[in-house]
Amino acid sequence: MPLTIPGDVSGDGKVTAYDASLVLRYVVGLTDFSVERKQAAYVTGDGTITALDAVLILQYTVGLITQFPVQLAGEVGE
């Protein structure tokens, strides 16, 4: 199984605004996600996939943030 890139919901190897749009489609019930897509969409680290995950993905794509909270949480014990 390939490694999941946080924020890369589409699975194309890049984090883009399209990934944020996929998260919003999931949030409003227009699509369902595989386990891998859920793992990629879950960037807040708060236990749910919400519109906030889409916002963070967009912030990442425009350079306002360089890491997702779920990535930062992974560094705590290292």
Side-chain angles (χ1 to χ4, degrees):
M1 177 165 77
L3 293 176
T4 301
I5 299 169
D8 178 23
V9 182
S10 67
D12 67 356
K14 300 174 280 190
V15 179
T16 65
Y18 178 61
D19 297 300
S21 73
L22 291 174
V23 170
L24 292 175
R25 289 178 57 83
Y26 174 83
V27 168
V28 298
L30 293 177
T31 191
D32 197 16
F33 283 171
S34 65
V35 172
E36 293 82 12
R37 279 187 167 195
K38 286 179 182 177
Q39 185 179 359
Y42 173 68
V43 296
T44 57
D46 68 358
T48 59
I49 298 172
T50 67
L52 180 56
D53 293 290
V55 168
L56 290 172
I57 291 170
L58 286 172
Q59 287 180 347
Y60 181 87
T61 64
V62 299
L64 291 176
I65 61 173
T66 58
Q67 286 185 303
F68 296 113
V70 72
Q71 292 171 306
L72 296 171
E75 294 177 1
V76 173
E78 296 177 4

